[in-house]
Amino acid sequence: MIRAFTYSDKKLTLLDQTRLPSLTAYVTATTVEEVCDAIRTMKVRGAPAIGVCAAYGLAIAAHAAPKTGYGAFMAAFGRAADRLASSRPTAVNLFWAIERMTAKAAKLKGRPPAEIVRALEAEARLIEEEDLSINRAIGENLLGLLGDGATVLTHCNAGILATSGYGTALAPVYLAKERGMNIRVYADETRPLLQGARLTAYELRQSGVDVTLICDGMAAAVMAKGIIDAVVVGCDRVAANGDTANKIGTFGLSVLAKHFGVPMYVAAPTPTIDLGCATGRDIPIEERDESEVTCGFGVRTAPEGVKVYNPAFDVTPWEHITSIVTETGIACPPYGERLKALTGRAREQR
Ligand code: MRU
């Protein structure tokens, strides 16, 4: 099975997602700066993968931090956490993982630094293991909604490459495959960085899944044919009221889904739910360099000097979402109380 990242011996090895599908190249990160760079430049991307890799980045930082005393150790650890927190703003999993690792270190105040390092490394591994089981549970819940033989439309990449394994939106597809069932996928190519074309189509084909690639602007025409049973997407941050930030273009898909009466499912691990954001207006939306739009992959496709707007995410209003599917259960609108209950249940199980 493809792996987006592996950690061993103070080293994070990443499948460089900027090179796929033409090249299978790996990069290694042995410092927190290298982990930050890999997240910023999207060698690793996808909300859950960013969170897990940030946790490993902090394990790496803990190894490198001075062991002369708790104060010096925590000062270095805190600087590493701040650096990671500035790498990408929208996926809340990044901040969730940093907080969890920081809380772990704080709980061990007074213990020898070497012991704290071991505990932090174990915590990062636990975060990765939990991510994998979260994804399987989301897959089960989504498979129950979709059923054998469904055809889904997805956007961006919420698959193996975005997580510790299985993906979130793509988890039911892989579970179906394992069980001899069949879910067909239409994948939006996902301008401007083409995660749908380069990553989703790649990983689904590697696994023998029936996938059809379309340009983003074709989604309406495909839905008009009546062949899409559900739109299934991942998310980078879900606000307390269910408003959901995901890859730019998801909002548009949700409008289409509503128009055509197609259910819109958001696959949401509870670490991606941010009850601290009341609504989608509180979610910080990353804007990326204009060259991604005018000169993607080294080919100039727009005139020099043209004005560009390049938000990496948009917010789908909760009213457009049929269900938010988490590892602890399925929420339907209105979302407030149910999201609180599902995240509470996840905390109890942890
Ligand atoms: O900019 P990216 O590629 O990190 O954006 C990824 C997405 O929008 C995914 O849908 C989201 O992170 C969920 S991944 C399970």
Side-chain angles (χ1 to χ4, degrees), residues 42 93 103 123 158 198 221 234 278 288 301:
M42 296 174 65
N93 308 58
E123 189 72 1
R198 295 187 306 102
R288 294 186 62 88
T301 51

Side-chain angles (χ1 to χ4, degrees), residues 62 65-79 100-117 119-120:
K67 308 291 183 297
T68 44
Y70 182 79
F73 175 83
M74 281 309 284
F77 185 81
R79 280 193 298 277
R100 182 161 155 179
M101 294 289 283
T102 306
K104 184 79 194 176
K107 221 168 138 188
L108 295 169
K109 186 173 179 181
R111 310 297 306 164
E115 184 186 327
I116 303 178
V117 173
L120 286 170

Side-chain angles (χ1 to χ4, degrees), residues 153 188 214-226 228 252-253 256-257 259-260:
L153 174 59
D188 272 356
I214 59 171
C215 301
D216 297 354
M218 297 170 187
V222 170
M223 278 196 229
K225 287 162 81 81
I228 300 298
L253 265 193
L256 292 177
H259 176 82
F260 288 108

Side-chain angles (χ1 to χ4, degrees), residues 33-102:
E33 287 78 15
E34 286 170 347
V35 176
C36 289
D37 178 72
I39 294 173
R40 192 175 306 109
T41 57
M42 296 174 65
K43 292 181 178 69
V44 62
R45 30 64 54 204
I50 291 172
V52 178
C53 288
Y56 281 128
L58 285 175
I60 290 170
H63 275 290
K67 308 291 183 297
T68 44
Y70 182 79
F73 175 83
M74 281 309 284
F77 185 81
R79 280 193 298 277
D82 289 347
R83 228 171 274 150
L84 280 163
S86 68
S87 58
R88 289 191 79 187
T90 303
V92 73
N93 308 58
L94 173 71
F95 307 96
W96 174 88
I98 292 170
E99 265 168 40
R100 182 161 155 179
M101 294 289 283
T102 306

Side-chain angles (χ1 to χ4, degrees), residues 235-254:
C235 53
D236 284 78
R237 195 183 296 226
V238 178
N241 71 340
D243 289 351
T244 293
N246 190 48
K247 180 53 54 191
I248 190 77
T250 305
F251 177 23
L253 265 193
S254 78

